[in-house]
Amino acid sequence: YMSTTAIRDGVLYAISQGVDVINLSLGIVVPDYLKAMNEGAQLNYIANNDRQEELLWQKVYDKAKKKNCTIVFAAGNDNVLAGIDPQKRSKDIIKVSAINMQLQKADFSNYGVYPRLNREYSTVSAPGVSIYSAAPDGQYESKNGTSMAAPIVSGAVALLKSVDKNLTTDQIITLLKKTGDHIDPKIGPMINIGRALQTLKGDTVVDDKCEKIKQEVTLLRAKIDSLVQICPDAAEPSDTLKYDDAINGKHGLDGVWKSSTELVSVEDETPIELY
């Protein structure tokens, strides 16, 4: 067992040393009552729980992004949505599910791809069953787990960065998805590193359109920052009501308020808007 603080400090140290890729094969212990939930209930659990820890890890990932360090996470081995672990909710990291020798999702692998909800807890997948690997006391054993799959992806990321060190995590994700093989809608595509390398060598710019959009977003953020200097309240969420305004009756509590929590039906995972 390791504390969140110990893991965070290790990741921040690696980022500060200028590493290109960090592999994390770890995660929370998922309790049985969560394992018993259907996918809809799990999605609602993710939307409502451990948000502060999720935000804490996002700050770590923001630092990695600034240093162009790619973080690869083992999705976990509980056959639940990987996003139950607040460390594995960000789109700025690569979450890796495991596949078996029949090119199917391994029965133990965590998962979670929901395009219509814009929620993704499995970025890509890689072999994770009967992987011959190092064991204690100088031994080697065949092992199962997303901890076997994640290092394969970390190695693939390192190979891609050996061709173009300036590749961002977003570009790497786009490339691995674009060149991977879709084998199960619940998990990200199985990486095909040969195809990814060939594509990269033919065109080191992974997605010109996305790159232009990123530049535009950067300019817009800079503009927002300058406007906030003039009017600090302008950047507050539209559904935030200040205590003083409510008490003094300036705006009051009358009206229709929409929840910002992303809820879904527990029956079929269709989005629910709560007012």
Side-chain angles (χ1 to χ4, degrees):
Y1 289 90
M2 293 178 285
S3 69
T4 295
T5 302
I7 300 167
R8 181 201 61 193
D9 288 350
V11 173
L12 289 174
Y13 176 78
I15 293 170
S16 71
Q17 297 302 301
V19 302
D20 295 308
V21 191
I22 297 175
N23 185 90
L24 289 165
S25 292
L26 46 83
I28 65 169
V29 176
V30 179
D32 289 338
Y33 77 89
L34 281 176
K35 294 179 184 178
M37 289 181 179
N38 65 20
E39 290 180 38
Q42 289 180 36
L43 285 166
N44 288 337
Y45 177 89
I46 293 167
N48 285 285
N49 290 273
D50 304 313
R51 298 306 297 271
Q52 289 302 314
E53 187 169 352
E54 178 184 342
L55 291 171
L56 179 149
W57 280 104
Q58 185 57 52
K59 290 184 181 297
V60 174
Y61 303 147
D62 289 343
K63 289 182 179 293
K65 200 167 188 177
K66 288 180 181 177
K67 293 282 190 177
N68 202 23
C69 171
T70 299
I71 295 178
V72 179
F73 241 118
N77 306 323
D78 296 291
N79 193 30
V80 297
L81 300 188
I84 284 176
D85 187 339
Q87 298 176 85
K88 302 171 187 176
R89 296 176 185 172
S90 175
K91 292 185 177 180
D92 293 325
I93 60 174
I94 300 176
K95 288 88 65 180
V96 184
S97 295
I99 61 170
N100 60 26
M101 289 181 284
Q102 288 71 45
L103 298 186
Q104 302 166 335
K105 173 185 134 14
D107 55 7
F108 57 78
S109 178
N110 289 356
Y111 58 93
V113 180
Y114 301 91
R116 64 176 175 169
L117 301 175
N118 194 30
R119 294 168 73 173
E120 180 181 86
Y121 307 116
S122 171
T123 314
V124 294
S125 55
V129 174
S130 296
I131 305 299
Y132 198 57
S133 182
D137 302 318
Q139 303 298 309
Y140 285 85
E141 299 174 3
S142 290
K143 293 181 174 290
N144 302 334
T146 56
S147 291
M148 300 292 103
I152 294 174
V153 175
S154 294
V157 171
L159 283 172
L160 293 172
K161 288 197 172 190
S162 73
V163 176
D164 183 353
K165 188 176 177 65
N166 295 318
L167 278 178
T168 66
T169 299
D170 288 342
Q171 289 175 321
I172 289 169
I173 289 173
T174 299
L175 180 58
L176 290 177
K177 285 184 174 182
K178 178 181 176 182
T179 58
D181 298 308
H182 294 270
I183 60 172
D184 189 312
K186 287 189 173 184
I187 60 177
M190 179 181 68
I191 66 165
N192 186 317
I193 185 58
R195 195 182 298 151
L197 284 168
Q198 288 176 346
T199 302
L200 178 60
K201 289 177 180 178
D203 182 5
T204 55
V205 179
V206 176
D207 193 335
D208 281 334
K209 182 180 178 182
C210 285
E211 196 59 40
K212 289 177 182 177
I213 291 174
K214 287 177 195 172
Q215 292 172 5
E216 187 174 346
V217 168
T218 300
L219 292 173
L220 288 172
R221 282 177 178 159
K223 186 174 182 180
I224 290 170
D225 289 342
S226 66
L227 291 172
V228 170
Q229 297 298 321
I230 301 171
C231 181
D233 293 341
E236 289 190 0
S238 58
D239 63 350
T240 299
L241 179 65
K242 290 186 175 180
Y243 177 79
D244 289 342
D245 290 344
I247 295 301
N248 296 330
K250 183 178 178 182
H251 299 294
L253 291 168
D254 293 336
V256 179
W257 295 76
K258 181 181 176 182
S259 171
S260 57
T261 303
E262 298 176 343
L263 299 174
V264 300
S265 165
V266 296
E267 301 298 330
D268 59 6
E269 297 95 49
T270 53
I272 293 175
E273 292 186 349
L274 179 65
Y275 293 88

